[in-house]
């Protein structure tokens, strides 16, 4: 059963970045059922004082609901941990408090105390077993409105790798580009090649200016038969996402998630990848990606050359924005 997303005290336990981001987003979405304009404030436990906490969770003079997210409470100092447990024993009804904890023995007493206080607990532990990864892929495709058998899920993991963010993006791409019924043949058409080499491998390297890494990944992918179309799609998606997030201004990942319609983990990644880019450079890169997509999907005589030229151009566009 899924955790109740409408409570006022939430504890997310685990260190799988994607699952943590989704659990926090679920809690925020549950709070926003009654108020779409709900304010969300985020803090790091290492930088939060007891006074800051009490100010953040104190009742509003106007009775407005709000969400307070405190990350990495396993690193909380003793005074803050004590204050969190005291608050959890009698939480404010108009404040939704969401706490993330990496799990393990560090800060275990705090996590146990929050459970005992009635916190809604979401599991975000790293997925380490092959069976769990297969289940994740099948559930992800189902969540997106498609269907995926075990064989197809295993093929996708072999092609894309074990990173859940990459797998989630691949599932989204496959469902978007097909009728949603994904089998092993579908995966093979999109992701033929060496395990953990995909369009996202190329795009991630290009977008952060790692030209040698991007070219190596691209040339190997093409050498072993990876379809150029998903590589072009991944490059376009990465550039477009970084540009959208950069133009949205400074705000928390959850505030931007509501504005842009993107998952918080994807926004956080785009914020990291966007460092070193200028607005002009991103505009140039978007034009490059669009031209590459048109060439690859429009039957260019040398689709590999079109992709390689795009990788060079994206890296150059980023370089032009460096200070």
């Amino acid at each position: 059963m899924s955790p109740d997303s409408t409570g006022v005290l939430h504890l997310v336990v685990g260190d799988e970045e994607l699952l943590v981001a989704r659990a926090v987003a679920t809690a925020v979405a549950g709070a926003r059922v009654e108020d779409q304009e709900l304010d969300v404030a985020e803090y790091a436990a290492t930088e939060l004082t007891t006074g800051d906490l009490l100010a953040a969770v104190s009742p509003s003079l106007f009775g407005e609901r709000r969400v307070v997210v405190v990350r990495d409470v396993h690193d909380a100092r003793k005074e803050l941990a004590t204050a969190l447990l005291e608050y959890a024993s009698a939480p404010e009804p108009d404040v939704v408090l969401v706490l993330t904890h990496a799990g393990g023995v560090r800060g275990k007493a705090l996590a146990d105390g929050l459970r005992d206080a009635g916190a809604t607990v979401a599991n975000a532990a790293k997925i380490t077993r092959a069976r769990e990864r297969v289940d994740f892929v099948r559930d992800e495709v189902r969540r997106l409105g498609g269907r995926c058998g075990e064989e197809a899920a295993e093929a996708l993991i072999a092609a894309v790798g074990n990173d859940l963010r990459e797998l989630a993006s691949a599932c989204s791409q496959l469902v978007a580009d097909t009728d949603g019924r994904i089998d092993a043949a579908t995966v093979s058409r999109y992701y033929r090649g060496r395990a953990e080499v995909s369009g996202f491998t190329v795009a991630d390297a290009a977008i952060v200016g790692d030209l040698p890494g991007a070219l190596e990944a691209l040339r190997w992918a093409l050498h072993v038969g990876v379809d150029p179309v998903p590589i072009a799609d991944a490059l376009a998606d990465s550039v477009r996402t970084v540009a959208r997030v950069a133009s949205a201004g400074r705000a928390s990942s959850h505030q931007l998630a509501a504005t842009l319609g993107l998952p918080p983990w994807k926004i956080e990644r785009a914020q990291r990848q966007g460092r070193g880019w200028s607005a002009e450079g991103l505009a140039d890169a978007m034009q490059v990606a669009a031209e590459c997509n048109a060439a690859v999907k429009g039957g260019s005589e040398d689709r590999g050359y079109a992709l390689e030229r795009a990788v060079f151009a994206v890296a150059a566009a980023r370089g032009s924005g460096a200070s």
Side-chain angles (χ1 to χ4, degrees):
M1 180 181 295
S2 299
D4 177 15
S5 63
T6 59
V8 296
L9 185 61
H10 296 262
L11 175 63
V12 181
V13 181
D15 56 354
E16 182 63 67
E17 182 180 339
L18 174 64
L19 301 183
V20 171
R22 285 188 173 177
V24 173
T26 296
V28 173
R32 280 186 165 144
V33 168
E34 297 180 12
D35 181 5
Q36 290 295 314
E37 302 301 320
L38 194 77
D39 183 51
V40 179
E42 293 194 33
Y43 304 91
T46 54
E47 301 173 1
L48 187 66
T49 67
T50 300
D52 292 335
L53 171 68
L54 296 178
V57 298
S58 61
S60 166
L61 293 175
F62 303 101
E64 297 172 337
R65 283 174 59 80
R66 63 189 182 281
V67 177
V68 176
V69 180
V70 182
R71 296 187 179 274
D72 302 329
V73 296
H74 52 277
D75 288 330
R77 293 180 295 276
K78 184 176 180 180
E79 296 80 6
L80 178 60
T82 299
L84 285 167
L85 289 174
E86 289 178 356
Y87 175 81
S89 66
E92 291 292 335
D94 292 330
V95 177
V96 177
L97 179 61
V98 185
L99 309 170
T100 73
H101 187 293
V105 296
R106 187 169 187 175
K108 185 175 184 297
L110 174 57
D112 290 344
L114 292 167
R115 286 190 182 93
D116 293 342
T120 298
V121 180
N123 177 31
K126 282 193 180 297
I127 292 178
T128 58
R129 298 176 181 173
R131 174 75 263 169
E132 293 174 336
R133 280 191 287 272
V134 169
D135 291 341
F136 171 82
V137 169
R138 298 188 69 190
D139 290 343
E140 186 71 9
V141 171
R142 189 178 302 115
R143 186 180 70 85
L144 295 166
R147 288 185 297 172
C148 176
E150 285 192 17
E151 184 181 0
E154 290 170 353
L156 187 61
I157 293 166
V160 175
N162 295 332
D163 187 297
L164 293 197
R165 297 170 302 176
E166 300 285 1
L167 287 170
S169 293
C171 290
S172 176
Q173 189 71 57
L174 283 171
V175 172
D177 287 355
T178 67
D179 60 3
R181 289 174 292 186
I182 299 168
D183 56 19
T186 305
V187 176
S188 179
R189 286 196 302 272
Y190 274 77
Y191 296 103
R192 284 198 305 271
R194 185 179 66 175
E196 299 189 21
V197 174
S198 71
F200 296 103
T201 310
V202 178
D204 285 347
I207 203 74
V208 298
D210 180 8
L211 181 58
L215 289 174
E216 180 183 3
L218 173 62
R219 289 165 183 169
W220 178 258
L222 295 175
H223 174 72
V224 296
V226 176
D227 189 334
V229 170
I231 300 177
D233 282 340
L235 186 62
D237 178 74
S238 293
V239 172
R240 183 168 55 247
T241 300
V242 169
R244 289 183 65 197
V245 171
S247 65
R250 297 177 61 85
S252 74
S253 59
H254 295 284
Q255 290 169 323
L256 291 178
T259 303
L260 301 178
L262 296 171
W265 67 264
K266 194 168 187 177
I267 288 172
E268 289 166 6
R269 168 179 270 195
Q271 288 172 331
R272 291 192 299 270
Q273 293 177 329
R275 294 167 188 158
W277 280 95
S278 67
E280 294 79 6
L282 284 169
D284 290 344
M286 288 182 68
Q287 181 64 33
V288 166
E291 292 172 355
C292 174
N293 230 281
V296 169
K297 295 179 180 178
S300 169
E301 292 184 3
D302 191 341
R303 297 192 295 173
Y305 174 71
L307 285 167
E308 189 163 309
R309 186 175 57 184
V311 166
F312 271 106
V314 167
R318 183 180 186 277
S320 70
S323 56

